[in-house]
Amino acid sequence: MTVSTLRFLDASGPQDAADYMWAEDLTQLELDQETYEEERAAEATRLRAYARELLERAAAESAAAGRERLIARAGQQLQQAKDPLPHKRQALEHREQILMQSCGRPGVLVRPSQPRYRNVYHRDATCGLISGDGRLLKNAGWAPIVEAEAAGYRPCARCGR
C-alpha cells in the first residue's frame, strides 16, 4: 500500500476519505488474494508433479543410496507444495493486518506542511499549517492513520492530536 491513495479534492473529510480508501484497499486485497490462490495452486501442482517424477526415477534406481536421495527430494517437494509461495502469502497477510488496524479510524491528510516539518499528517483539511502560499493543497492525499504512522509521519501539533 502507498501513502496518499486518494487525492485531496476527492474527499469531503477524514471519514469520507477513510471509507473510500478501505473500500478501495479491500477490493484490491481481494483481487490480489484471488491471484495468489491461482499462483499457489499452479505452483503446488508443479511441485507435486516433480515429486512424482522423482519417485518414478527412484523406483528405477538400482543403487539404494541414490534411491533414498531421490525419495528424500520428493518428500521435500511434497512438503514445499503445502505452502509453495510463503513470501507472497506473508505479504498478503501483512496487508490484511494493516487494513484491519486502520478500519474504523478516520483518514489523515498527508502532505508537507512547513519546510522543516515535511513528515506531518493532519486531521483537519483547514489546518492553518497546511494553508497559505505555495502549499499546493491539490497535492495532498488522505491515508489511513496506521499507514501514515508506519511511513514515518507524525501528528501535526495543531490538528493531529
Side-chain angles (χ1 to χ4, degrees):
M1 284 187 246
T2 60
V3 172
S4 189
T5 58
L6 181 68
R7 286 191 3 247
F8 174 73
L9 298 175
D10 292 340
S12 61
Q15 196 60 49
D16 180 41
D19 291 345
Y20 178 86
M21 286 182 297
W22 294 324
E24 184 179 79
D25 289 345
L26 185 58
T27 300
Q28 185 60 50
L29 180 65
E30 288 172 351
L31 290 173
D32 292 346
Q33 286 173 332
E34 287 174 14
T35 301
Y36 163 76
E37 286 299 326
E38 291 169 3
E39 291 173 0
R40 184 198 60 74
E43 183 64 12
T45 300
R46 187 191 68 76
L47 289 168
R48 288 186 193 106
Y50 183 56
R52 189 176 316 111
E53 178 186 322
L54 289 171
L55 289 173
E56 289 170 359
R57 285 175 35 198
E61 181 69 35
S62 60
R67 188 171 39 252
E68 292 300 321
R69 184 179 47 81
L70 289 170
I71 291 171
R73 282 183 53 203
Q76 291 170 346
Q77 296 300 308
L78 289 172
Q79 187 65 30
Q80 188 179 354
K82 292 179 182 178
D83 188 12
L85 304 170
H87 297 297
K88 286 187 177 186
R89 177 186 48 78
Q90 290 168 353
L92 283 171
E93 288 172 353
H94 180 68
R95 283 181 47 207
E96 188 174 36
Q97 287 173 351
I98 289 173
L99 190 61
M100 288 185 334
Q101 288 173 354
S102 64
C103 189
R105 294 177 157 181
V108 292
L109 188 61
V110 177
R111 63 170 319 284
S113 51
Q114 294 177 349
R116 61 183 184 164
Y117 300 110
R118 297 244 182 246
N119 57 348
V120 175
Y121 66 77
H122 303 274
R123 290 183 186 268
D124 184 3
T126 61
C127 177
L129 295 180
I130 58 171
S131 60
D133 268 354
R135 294 268 183 343
L136 300 173
L137 288 175
K138 67 179 184 280
N139 293 338
W142 293 99
I145 190 169
V146 173
E147 193 174 314
E149 289 173 346
Y153 287 85
R154 65 183 189 287
C156 168
R158 189 176 292 176
C159 68
R161 42 191 176 288

